[in-house]
Amino acid sequence: MEPLFEHVTEVDGRRTRVLELEGHGPPLLLLHGYGDSADTWRPVLAELGMRDRRAVAVDLPGYGKASKLGPGAVLPQLDAFAAELVERIAAEAGEPVVVVGNSLGGALALRLGERADLPIAGIVPIAPAGLEMPRWFDLIEHDPVLRRVLALPLPIPNQVLKTTVSAVYKRLVFHHPDRIEAGVVNTFCSHHHGRAGVAALLAAGRRLLPELGPGAFDLERVAVPMLLVWGARDRMIPPSGARVILGALPDTTVELIDDCGHCPQLEAAERTVELLLGFARTRAPATAA
């Protein structure tokens, strides 16, 4: 089994945490979603490690243990960060990169795929945000339990907030929350400490939301092969968003994972890895599913 290395590096002038497998095959760059971190890819990385595959997951700026975002628009900052990563990984591996992203990371994968100047072999957006009118943030910010707890005038014990955030996270993200290991939920919550941490998470969502819409993409410019993956039971971003991509790029292959919610990398890691490795082997346009 290929060992997983965790280290800190600087990308585009920002400090970030990296989870890395030094395996073989086309390198996979794994990008997480809003509020998440590189840790969301640990089950996938474990599967890839057993198959001796090269993969890199990072904390995006503003999330996990990475540096904060600068002032101004968010997406251009994330684009520049991810583009430098693509170039660095491709140079180290000696071959183009397959960019995989979930939710916000999926939106970044689509935007990177529009750039002909980057060494990208293909992209795998997983439930990408921004293809339809955004409703995912409404589900988070207007969750009745979370709003009630944050509205309390007295200081809130950290354990109460952690329990609340855990409940909201499991209910919205997973189709079968009872099957998700406690460690997965605890890791997510560890990046959002106390009332200030939750308030910062919500503020980041409000800042990002105006940039995530159909105007965030120019899909006709995507010239690299694409595999679009979605959980069939996604509550956060419905699979109907796939129609937008198929309307612009009808040769795109779409894979729906049954009995799965917004994060297949956590809820269906083995199936996700099968799809990634199959796509990385071919790296060629396929017939629409």
Side-chain angles (χ1 to χ4, degrees), residues 57-80:
V58 298
D59 288 344
L60 292 171
Y63 301 102
K65 298 180 181 179
S67 299
K68 294 182 179 179
L69 288 161
V74 172
L75 287 182
Q77 296 182 60
L78 298 181
D79 289 338

PDB file of all heavy atoms in Angstrom, residues 57-80:
ATOM      1  N   ALA A  57      -4.369  15.842  -2.626  1.00  0.00           N
ATOM      2  CA  ALA A  57      -5.514  16.609  -2.125  1.00  0.00           C
ATOM      3  C   ALA A  57      -4.975  17.773  -1.300  1.00  0.00           C
ATOM      4  O   ALA A  57      -3.978  17.622  -0.579  1.00  0.00           O
ATOM      5  CB  ALA A  57      -6.429  15.740  -1.278  1.00  0.00           C
ATOM      6  N   VAL A  58      -5.610  18.929  -1.410  1.00  0.00           N
ATOM      7  CA  VAL A  58      -5.126  20.118  -0.700  1.00  0.00           C
ATOM      8  C   VAL A  58      -6.287  20.833  -0.013  1.00  0.00           C
ATOM      9  O   VAL A  58      -7.453  20.662  -0.382  1.00  0.00           O
ATOM     10  CB  VAL A  58      -4.442  21.114  -1.672  1.00  0.00           C
ATOM     11  CG1 VAL A  58      -3.218  20.492  -2.320  1.00  0.00           C
ATOM     12  CG2 VAL A  58      -5.421  21.608  -2.727  1.00  0.00           C
ATOM     13  N   ASP A  59      -5.939  21.646   0.979  1.00  0.00           N
ATOM     14  CA  ASP A  59      -6.899  22.593   1.558  1.00  0.00           C
ATOM     15  C   ASP A  59      -6.927  23.826   0.664  1.00  0.00           C
ATOM     16  O   ASP A  59      -5.886  24.455   0.435  1.00  0.00           O
ATOM     17  CB  ASP A  59      -6.468  23.016   2.963  1.00  0.00           C
ATOM     18  CG  ASP A  59      -6.631  21.913   3.998  1.00  0.00           C
ATOM     19  OD1 ASP A  59      -7.343  20.932   3.712  1.00  0.00           O
ATOM     20  OD2 ASP A  59      -6.032  22.037   5.084  1.00  0.00           O
ATOM     21  N   LEU A  60      -8.086  24.172   0.125  1.00  0.00           N
ATOM     22  CA  LEU A  60      -8.199  25.383  -0.677  1.00  0.00           C
ATOM     23  C   LEU A  60      -8.085  26.620   0.217  1.00  0.00           C
ATOM     24  O   LEU A  60      -8.442  26.574   1.407  1.00  0.00           O
ATOM     25  CB  LEU A  60      -9.549  25.401  -1.401  1.00  0.00           C
ATOM     26  CG  LEU A  60      -9.739  24.359  -2.501  1.00  0.00           C
ATOM     27  CD1 LEU A  60     -11.187  24.350  -2.971  1.00  0.00           C
ATOM     28  CD2 LEU A  60      -8.795  24.617  -3.664  1.00  0.00           C
ATOM     29  N   PRO A  61      -7.584  27.738  -0.315  1.00  0.00           N
ATOM     30  CA  PRO A  61      -7.491  28.967   0.485  1.00  0.00           C
ATOM     31  C   PRO A  61      -8.825  29.329   1.129  1.00  0.00           C
ATOM     32  O   PRO A  61      -9.874  29.272   0.495  1.00  0.00           O
ATOM     33  CB  PRO A  61      -7.075  30.025  -0.551  1.00  0.00           C
ATOM     34  CG  PRO A  61      -6.346  29.254  -1.601  1.00  0.00           C
ATOM     35  CD  PRO A  61      -7.056  27.923  -1.678  1.00  0.00           C
ATOM     36  N   GLY A  62      -8.741  29.657   2.420  1.00  0.00           N
ATOM     37  CA  GLY A  62      -9.950  30.008   3.159  1.00  0.00           C
ATOM     38  C   GLY A  62     -10.597  28.837   3.865  1.00  0.00           C
ATOM     39  O   GLY A  62     -11.557  29.025   4.624  1.00  0.00           O
ATOM     40  N   TYR A  63     -10.072  27.624   3.671  1.00  0.00           N
ATOM     41  CA  TYR A  63     -10.676  26.426   4.251  1.00  0.00           C
ATOM     42  C   TYR A  63      -9.607  25.542   4.891  1.00  0.00           C
ATOM     43  O   TYR A  63      -8.423  25.629   4.555  1.00  0.00           O
ATOM     44  CB  TYR A  63     -11.421  25.630   3.179  1.00  0.00           C
ATOM     45  CG  TYR A  63     -12.524  26.416   2.509  1.00  0.00           C
ATOM     46  CD1 TYR A  63     -12.338  26.971   1.239  1.00  0.00           C
ATOM     47  CD2 TYR A  63     -13.743  26.627   3.145  1.00  0.00           C
ATOM     48  CE1 TYR A  63     -13.348  27.700   0.622  1.00  0.00           C
ATOM     49  CE2 TYR A  63     -14.750  27.360   2.547  1.00  0.00           C
ATOM     50  CZ  TYR A  63     -14.546  27.895   1.284  1.00  0.00           C
ATOM     51  OH  TYR A  63     -15.544  28.624   0.688  1.00  0.00           O
ATOM     52  N   GLY A  64     -10.075  24.655   5.775  1.00  0.00           N
ATOM     53  CA  GLY A  64      -9.146  23.750   6.424  1.00  0.00           C
ATOM     54  C   GLY A  64      -8.059  24.513   7.156  1.00  0.00           C
ATOM     55  O   GLY A  64      -8.326  25.446   7.916  1.00  0.00           O
ATOM     56  N   LYS A  65      -6.805  24.161   6.869  1.00  0.00           N
ATOM     57  CA  LYS A  65      -5.662  24.807   7.515  1.00  0.00           C
ATOM     58  C   LYS A  65      -4.904  25.717   6.561  1.00  0.00           C
ATOM     59  O   LYS A  65      -3.758  26.100   6.831  1.00  0.00           O
ATOM     60  CB  LYS A  65      -4.731  23.738   8.089  1.00  0.00           C
ATOM     61  CG  LYS A  65      -5.396  22.886   9.171  1.00  0.00           C
ATOM     62  CD  LYS A  65      -4.452  21.840   9.717  1.00  0.00           C
ATOM     63  CE  LYS A  65      -5.153  20.994  10.791  1.00  0.00           C
ATOM     64  NZ  LYS A  65      -4.261  19.936  11.330  1.00  0.00           N
ATOM     65  N   ALA A  66      -5.515  26.048   5.425  1.00  0.00           N
ATOM     66  CA  ALA A  66      -4.868  26.917   4.437  1.00  0.00           C
ATOM     67  C   ALA A  66      -4.961  28.381   4.853  1.00  0.00           C
ATOM     68  O   ALA A  66      -5.748  28.759   5.727  1.00  0.00           O
ATOM     69  CB  ALA A  66      -5.517  26.729   3.066  1.00  0.00           C
ATOM     70  N   SER A  67      -4.147  29.217   4.203  1.00  0.00           N
ATOM     71  CA  SER A  67      -4.193  30.658   4.440  1.00  0.00           C
ATOM     72  C   SER A  67      -5.564  31.219   4.063  1.00  0.00           C
ATOM     73  O   SER A  67      -6.297  30.632   3.260  1.00  0.00           O
ATOM     74  CB  SER A  67      -3.125  31.362   3.605  1.00  0.00           C
ATOM     75  OG  SER A  67      -1.834  30.909   3.942  1.00  0.00           O
ATOM     76  N   LYS A  68      -5.883  32.359   4.627  1.00  0.00           N
ATOM     77  CA  LYS A  68      -7.152  33.004   4.320  1.00  0.00           C
ATOM     78  C   LYS A  68      -7.142  33.574   2.905  1.00  0.00           C
ATOM     79  O   LYS A  68      -6.093  33.821   2.317  1.00  0.00           O
ATOM     80  CB  LYS A  68      -7.425  34.127   5.322  1.00  0.00           C
ATOM     81  CG  LYS A  68      -7.658  33.648   6.745  1.00  0.00           C
ATOM     82  CD  LYS A  68      -7.962  34.807   7.664  1.00  0.00           C
ATOM     83  CE  LYS A  68      -8.216  34.328   9.085  1.00  0.00           C
ATOM     84  NZ  LYS A  68      -8.499  35.461  10.015  1.00  0.00           N
ATOM     85  N   LEU A  69      -8.322  33.781   2.380  1.00  0.00           N
ATOM     86  CA  LEU A  69      -8.468  34.451   1.095  1.00  0.00           C
ATOM     87  C   LEU A  69      -8.162  35.936   1.248  1.00  0.00           C
ATOM     88  O   LEU A  69      -8.360  36.526   2.322  1.00  0.00           O
ATOM     89  CB  LEU A  69      -9.887  34.280   0.571  1.00  0.00           C
ATOM     90  CG  LEU A  69     -10.270  32.883   0.078  1.00  0.00           C
ATOM     91  CD1 LEU A  69     -11.780  32.740   0.039  1.00  0.00           C
ATOM     92  CD2 LEU A  69      -9.672  32.618  -1.294  1.00  0.00           C
ATOM     93  N   GLY A  70      -7.718  36.557   0.138  1.00  0.00           N
ATOM     94  CA  GLY A  70      -7.514  37.983   0.150  1.00  0.00           C
ATOM     95  C   GLY A  70      -8.807  38.722  -0.158  1.00  0.00           C
ATOM     96  O   GLY A  70      -9.852  38.102  -0.390  1.00  0.00           O
ATOM     97  N   PRO A  71      -8.777  40.038  -0.164  1.00  0.00           N
ATOM     98  CA  PRO A  71      -9.983  40.814  -0.518  1.00  0.00           C
ATOM     99  C   PRO A  71     -10.328  40.633  -1.987  1.00  0.00           C
ATOM    100  O   PRO A  71      -9.502  40.220  -2.796  1.00  0.00           O
ATOM    101  CB  PRO A  71      -9.561  42.258  -0.216  1.00  0.00           C
ATOM    102  CG  PRO A  71      -8.065  42.250  -0.303  1.00  0.00           C
ATOM    103  CD  PRO A  71      -7.628  40.902   0.160  1.00  0.00           C
ATOM    104  N   GLY A  72     -11.575  40.943  -2.317  1.00  0.00           N
ATOM    105  CA  GLY A  72     -11.996  40.856  -3.710  1.00  0.00           C
ATOM    106  C   GLY A  72     -12.691  39.553  -4.028  1.00  0.00           C
ATOM    107  O   GLY A  72     -13.041  38.766  -3.136  1.00  0.00           O
ATOM    108  N   ALA A  73     -12.908  39.321  -5.317  1.00  0.00           N
ATOM    109  CA  ALA A  73     -13.638  38.134  -5.774  1.00  0.00           C
ATOM    110  C   ALA A  73     -12.926  36.854  -5.349  1.00  0.00           C
ATOM    111  O   ALA A  73     -11.694  36.776  -5.340  1.00  0.00           O
ATOM    112  CB  ALA A  73     -13.785  38.180  -7.293  1.00  0.00           C
ATOM    113  N   VAL A  74     -13.722  35.838  -5.030  1.00  0.00           N
ATOM    114  CA  VAL A  74     -13.190  34.582  -4.508  1.00  0.00           C
ATOM    115  C   VAL A  74     -12.721  33.647  -5.622  1.00  0.00           C
ATOM    116  O   VAL A  74     -11.608  33.108  -5.570  1.00  0.00           O
ATOM    117  CB  VAL A  74     -14.261  33.869  -3.651  1.00  0.00           C
ATOM    118  CG1 VAL A  74     -13.800  32.467  -3.250  1.00  0.00           C
ATOM    119  CG2 VAL A  74     -14.579  34.693  -2.418  1.00  0.00           C
ATOM    120  N   LEU A  75     -13.566  33.420  -6.632  1.00  0.00           N
ATOM    121  CA  LEU A  75     -13.247  32.424  -7.653  1.00  0.00           C
ATOM    122  C   LEU A  75     -11.920  32.683  -8.365  1.00  0.00           C
ATOM    123  O   LEU A  75     -11.156  31.743  -8.598  1.00  0.00           O
ATOM    124  CB  LEU A  75     -14.393  32.300  -8.654  1.00  0.00           C
ATOM    125  CG  LEU A  75     -15.658  31.591  -8.149  1.00  0.00           C
ATOM    126  CD1 LEU A  75     -16.695  31.503  -9.268  1.00  0.00           C
ATOM    127  CD2 LEU A  75     -15.344  30.196  -7.620  1.00  0.00           C
ATOM    128  N   PRO A  76     -11.591  33.929  -8.752  1.00  0.00           N
ATOM    129  CA  PRO A  76     -10.296  34.147  -9.392  1.00  0.00           C
ATOM    130  C   PRO A  76      -9.113  33.746  -8.503  1.00  0.00           C
ATOM    131  O   PRO A  76      -8.096  33.253  -9.006  1.00  0.00           O
ATOM    132  CB  PRO A  76     -10.291  35.642  -9.698  1.00  0.00           C
ATOM    133  CG  PRO A  76     -11.733  36.009  -9.808  1.00  0.00           C
ATOM    134  CD  PRO A  76     -12.430  35.149  -8.800  1.00  0.00           C
ATOM    135  N   GLN A  77      -9.244  33.949  -7.192  1.00  0.00           N
ATOM    136  CA  GLN A  77      -8.171  33.544  -6.283  1.00  0.00           C
ATOM    137  C   GLN A  77      -8.031  32.024  -6.243  1.00  0.00           C
ATOM    138  O   GLN A  77      -6.918  31.478  -6.267  1.00  0.00           O
ATOM    139  CB  GLN A  77      -8.451  34.072  -4.877  1.00  0.00           C
ATOM    140  CG  GLN A  77      -8.464  35.579  -4.778  1.00  0.00           C
ATOM    141  CD  GLN A  77      -8.691  36.057  -3.358  1.00  0.00           C
ATOM    142  OE1 GLN A  77      -7.912  35.760  -2.450  1.00  0.00           O
ATOM    143  NE2 GLN A  77      -9.773  36.811  -3.150  1.00  0.00           N
ATOM    144  N   LEU A  78      -9.170  31.326  -6.197  1.00  0.00           N
ATOM    145  CA  LEU A  78      -9.127  29.872  -6.185  1.00  0.00           C
ATOM    146  C   LEU A  78      -8.644  29.330  -7.527  1.00  0.00           C
ATOM    147  O   LEU A  78      -7.923  28.322  -7.582  1.00  0.00           O
ATOM    148  CB  LEU A  78     -10.513  29.314  -5.849  1.00  0.00           C
ATOM    149  CG  LEU A  78     -11.081  29.696  -4.480  1.00  0.00           C
ATOM    150  CD1 LEU A  78     -12.454  29.054  -4.291  1.00  0.00           C
ATOM    151  CD2 LEU A  78     -10.142  29.269  -3.359  1.00  0.00           C
ATOM    152  N   ASP A  79      -9.019  29.986  -8.622  1.00  0.00           N
ATOM    153  CA  ASP A  79      -8.551  29.590  -9.953  1.00  0.00           C
ATOM    154  C   ASP A  79      -7.030  29.643 -10.025  1.00  0.00           C
ATOM    155  O   ASP A  79      -6.380  28.716 -10.526  1.00  0.00           O
ATOM    156  CB  ASP A  79      -9.126  30.512 -11.030  1.00  0.00           C
ATOM    157  CG  ASP A  79     -10.615  30.313 -11.263  1.00  0.00           C
ATOM    158  OD1 ASP A  79     -11.136  29.233 -10.923  1.00  0.00           O
ATOM    159  OD2 ASP A  79     -11.254  31.235 -11.796  1.00  0.00           O
ATOM    160  N   ALA A  80      -6.454  30.763  -9.577  1.00  0.00           N
ATOM    161  CA  ALA A  80      -5.008  30.943  -9.656  1.00  0.00           C
ATOM    162  C   ALA A  80      -4.282  29.913  -8.797  1.00  0.00           C
ATOM    163  O   ALA A  80      -3.255  29.345  -9.209  1.00  0.00           O
ATOM    164  CB  ALA A  80      -4.633  32.361  -9.216  1.00  0.00           C
TER     165      ALA A  80
END
